[in-house]
Amino acid sequence: QVQLVESGGGLVQAGGSLRLSCAAPRSTLSINTMGWYRQAPGKQRELVAVITSGGGTNYADSVKGRFTVSRDNAKKAVYLQMNSLKPEDTAVYYCNAAGRYYSGDYIQRFDSWGQGTQVTVSS
């Protein structure tokens, strides 16, 4: 499988900004959709934002106009710029990526999750 490595979470006051990063190994063959999900205590994991290999994006209504998802295909990375953060944005944020990778002489499909990074917004 393909391991995704996340970084960038932390503690910020309401109205502040954070930028999350997530990268797959450079050796990954191709990545289709990449995105961000979050899970708050006692709640189900929910979609935050996704971006296709062609740059198409989709956002949760609760983050539209505040969050921006982007990707660098050469670096096999996806980013989430979070502005105007609110206490209700507090959650563990997970990146997700799906695509193909080399496994020996074969090409395999993957659908992987990052380890999660805590984002805490204080009021």
Side-chain angles (χ1 to χ4, degrees):
Q1 270 290 351
V2 171
Q3 184 174 4
L4 306 179
V5 179
E6 298 182 32
S7 61
L11 173 64
V12 65
Q13 288 188 331
S17 298
L18 283 174
R19 186 174 189 250
L20 306 183
S21 301
C22 173
R26 296 288 187 98
S27 58
T28 303
L29 175 59
S30 64
I31 302 178
N32 301 322
T33 300
M34 305 182 80
W36 293 93
Y37 295 73
R38 67 187 181 187
Q39 187 167 18
K43 295 187 177 182
Q44 291 188 330
R45 190 173 297 187
E46 63 176 2
L47 180 146
V48 176
V50 293
I51 182 168
T52 67
S53 57
T57 58
N58 187 36
Y59 294 90
D61 288 342
S62 59
V63 307
K64 284 180 181 177
R66 301 188 297 122
F67 290 11
T68 302
V69 62
S70 60
R71 63 189 285 172
D72 184 328
N73 290 329
K75 294 182 178 180
K76 304 292 195 298
V78 62
Y79 309 98
L80 185 68
Q81 178 65 44
M82 303 184 293
N83 299 327
S84 301
L85 282 161
K86 304 175 180 179
E88 51 263 43
D89 294 318
T90 295
V92 178
Y93 283 70
Y94 298 90
C95 69
N96 174 264
R100 296 181 296 172
Y101 69 105
Y102 290 110
S103 178
D105 294 333
Y106 301 96
I107 294 175
Q108 303 275 14
R109 295 184 181 275
F110 73 91
D111 187 340
S112 297
W113 293 88
Q115 78 277 14
T117 186
Q118 178 70 45
V119 171
T120 302
V121 184
S122 63
S123 57

